[in-house]
Amino acid sequence: QVQLVESGGGLVQAGGSLRLSCTASGSILSINNMAWYRQAPGKQRELVARLTTGGNTNYADSVKGRFTISRDNAKNTVYLQMNSLKPEDTAVYYCAANVWSTYGKGDYWGQGTQVTVSA
């Protein structure tokens, strides 16, 4: 199977920065798109940033200019650099990946990491 493990969440003051990491492991043959989502209390999960295999990126309007998604293919890892954080960025952040494994093609999710931004 395939596992995604996130790290890097925590508590930060408004205006601060955090860097989230997500590493995929398991019976991986190749990884296609990788993305970060977030879910705030009482709200639906939303796409924060996506990075395709070809290097194209998509960002939610609310994070454009502040967040940057990147990946290290050699390490099967995707990052989310978050700068100028705001209290409204508080949420559980999840990574997602579309993966070809020995079990076939599938979408996988991490367990989530909490990001809390204080005013």
Side-chain angles (χ1 to χ4, degrees):
Q1 280 290 3
V2 175
Q3 299 83 36
L4 301 182
V5 178
E6 300 109 334
S7 62
L11 173 65
V12 64
Q13 289 187 332
S17 299
L18 283 174
R19 188 195 195 205
L20 304 183
S21 300
C22 173
T23 299
S25 62
S27 305
I28 297 170
L29 299 177
S30 65
I31 302 177
N32 301 315
N33 297 349
M34 301 187 82
W36 287 95
Y37 289 77
R38 67 186 180 187
Q39 187 167 19
K43 295 188 177 181
Q44 291 187 333
R45 190 172 298 189
E46 63 173 353
L47 175 68
V48 175
R50 178 187 290 120
L51 178 57
T52 69
T53 308
N56 294 317
T57 57
N58 301 100
Y59 294 94
D61 288 342
S62 59
V63 307
K64 283 180 181 178
R66 301 188 297 121
F67 290 10
T68 302
I69 188 172
S70 61
R71 64 192 285 177
D72 184 333
N73 292 328
K75 296 181 179 180
N76 289 338
T77 297
V78 63
Y79 304 97
L80 185 68
Q81 178 66 43
M82 305 186 294
N83 298 328
S84 302
L85 283 160
K86 303 175 181 179
E88 50 264 45
D89 295 317
T90 295
V92 177
Y93 284 70
Y94 300 89
C95 72
N98 181 259
V99 178
W100 275 107
S101 73
T102 56
Y103 297 90
K105 189 177 181 181
D107 294 320
Y108 296 88
W109 292 84
Q111 80 287 354
T113 185
Q114 177 71 46
V115 171
T116 303
V117 185
S118 62

